[in-house]
Amino acid sequence: VENTNDILKIFTTRPDTLFGATYMVIAPEHPIVDKITTKEQFKKVGQYIAEAKSKSDLQRTELNKEKSGVWTGSYAINPVNNQKIPIWISDYVLIGYGTGAIMAVPAHDERDFEFATKFGLPIIQVVSKDGKLAELKEAFADDGVAINSGEFNGLKTSEFKTKITEYLEKS
């Protein structure tokens, strides 16, 4: 988290999409919420958490539901490109699943795509079917060829996953 020594741990099955993470989402119950919420966002975040507590896990993660969320006012630093990305709270992330925090890669995840579209967040394609940038009308969740991924451009998904994991372990 920017300007702190805090590290938000995430779990992902798609490390090949790290360069496309344009925001983070944490569960409303995440223990770091109070620490990272700015004074300016405190009231909105509190109201959102109260609303989220009234929903079941099934209601929160239902794919067809309208995406909801609120910005904490804080930013995280993406470890692969040092980009500052906003940290949001949304009820589609559950505290009991993984670490209760996700890197959001809207170009390659349907729920993240819907959330980013609703809130006007950037969508950066980093996996392409043929290695070329395409206009995305929906998330492209398949394997392909890395683009917009620095030194990893041109690698196929399986090779990129191995190389980015090795890179992160050294960092």
Side-chain angles (χ1 to χ4, degrees):
V1 179
E2 185 182 50
N3 300 325
T4 76
N5 289 327
D6 293 308
I7 295 174
L8 275 168
K9 293 185 178 185
I10 57 130
F11 171 79
T12 183
T13 59
R14 294 293 307 262
D16 59 305
T17 64
L18 279 168
F19 283 88
T22 58
Y23 63 100
M24 284 194 70
V25 183
I26 58 177
E29 307 84 1
H30 199 287
I32 203 169
V33 169
D34 288 339
K35 187 174 185 179
I36 66 169
T37 300
T38 62
K39 284 185 248 178
E40 297 79 14
Q41 293 298 103
F42 187 78
K43 186 175 180 182
K44 286 181 183 176
V45 167
Q47 289 170 337
Y48 186 81
I49 290 171
E51 290 172 22
K53 284 182 179 178
S54 70
K55 297 177 185 176
S56 71
D57 285 358
L58 181 61
Q59 289 171 316
R60 287 174 56 172
T61 58
E62 190 177 334
L63 285 177
N64 295 331
K65 80 172 190 86
E66 179 76 18
K67 298 297 176 260
S68 67
V70 63
W71 179 43
T72 64
S74 291
Y75 294 89
I77 305 298
N78 183 324
V80 296
N81 58 16
N82 291 314
Q83 295 294 308
K84 198 164 89 163
I85 58 175
I87 304 170
W88 285 70
I89 295 171
S90 181
D91 61 9
Y92 80 91
V93 175
L94 303 176
I95 193 66
Y97 182 79
T99 63
I102 65 161
M103 61 170 202
V105 183
H108 305 291
D109 180 274
E110 179 183 338
R111 291 179 305 170
D112 296 346
F113 187 91
E114 291 169 5
F115 190 92
T117 300
K118 178 176 180 175
F119 291 103
L121 297 164
I123 299 173
I124 300 172
Q125 184 182 11
V126 294
V127 181
S128 170
K129 184 174 14 179
D130 57 7
K132 296 177 182 157
L133 194 60
E135 183 179 338
L136 297 177
K137 299 208 184 313
E138 61 185 19
F140 176 75
D142 295 336
D143 287 356
V145 178
I147 59 172
N148 291 322
S149 297
E151 66 188 80
F152 302 98
N153 284 344
L155 295 179
K156 291 189 177 183
T157 297
S158 59
E159 186 180 3
F160 188 7
K161 284 182 178 182
T162 301
K163 291 201 181 274
I164 193 72
T165 302
E166 291 168 357
Y167 169 82
L168 291 168
E169 287 173 350
K170 292 177 188 171
S171 301

